[in-house]
Amino acid sequence: MNIDHVAIVVNDVDKAASHYKNILYVHEVKFETIATEGVKLAILKLNNARIELMEPINDDSPIKKFLEKNGEGLHHIALETNNINNTIQNMNNCAIKFLGNVRTGSENTKIIFIHPKSFHGVLLELCEYAK
Ligand code: CO
């Protein structure tokens, strides 16, 4: 598996993106809104992975609740798999707990979240790119 992205919750995605861009000299930044998750993203492309900055766009967004409770900070780590359904099946055999079902994430990936209790307190995402 590869680390695909590290996701960070921020108050203002435009400001945060220009900060990251300027300080880290990231040239490629893409913005995307995922209405179903209630977030606006800034995707910063590094050489080997991405950083996703996430700002909630409505009060129902789970990211909004996270921000109110914890403030800005690390939200999840995403691992890329070639076949998300196979990975889910294997993990189910190990009694790993998933949060919800497979859905569409950033850049049209198929994603699913894994309960932090199944990974030592870290929220993990699995993602698969369209082939
Ligand atoms: Co993610």
Side-chain angles (χ1 to χ4, degrees):
M1 277 185 180
N2 294 319
I3 291 186
D4 181 72
H5 63 268
V6 171
I8 297 164
V9 175
V10 298
N11 288 316
D12 183 326
V13 77
D14 297 306
K15 273 189 194 162
S18 65
H19 179 78
Y20 269 77
K21 219 176 135 172
N22 295 335
I23 306 295
L24 301 180
Y25 299 103
V26 177
H27 299 295
E28 208 183 334
V29 180
K30 202 179 127 188
F31 289 92
E32 186 177 335
T33 296
I34 304 178
T36 49
E37 306 285 327
V39 289
K40 182 180 171 187
L41 300 176
I43 301 165
L44 293 92
K45 308 236 179 184
L46 309 182
N47 292 336
N48 65 341
R50 300 178 294 148
I51 295 174
E52 284 190 3
L53 304 172
M54 313 191 289
E55 177 190 340
I57 52 168
N58 59 50
D59 289 343
D60 301 329
S61 169
I63 301 306
K64 175 92 175 178
K65 287 171 198 101
F66 179 95
L67 195 56
E68 282 167 358
K69 202 176 149 203
N70 308 291
E72 293 187 313
L74 183 64
H75 185 262
H76 66 268
I77 296 171
L79 301 174
E80 184 194 353
T81 166
N82 289 327
N83 187 321
I84 199 166
N85 290 324
N86 280 352
T87 305
I88 291 168
Q89 208 174 354
N90 292 339
M91 287 186 170
N92 270 331
N93 295 336
C94 306
I96 295 296
K97 244 186 101 183
F98 291 92
L99 296 167
N101 297 314
V102 174
R103 51 192 188 266
T104 303
S106 63
E107 304 198 283
N108 211 26
T109 49
K110 282 191 229 168
I111 68 162
I112 193 165
F113 284 98
I114 300 170
H115 197 288
K117 280 193 176 149
S118 291
F119 270 97
H120 300 262
V122 175
L123 179 62
L124 278 188
E125 175 192 322
L126 298 175
C127 65
E128 178 192 334
Y129 282 86
K131 284 162 190 97

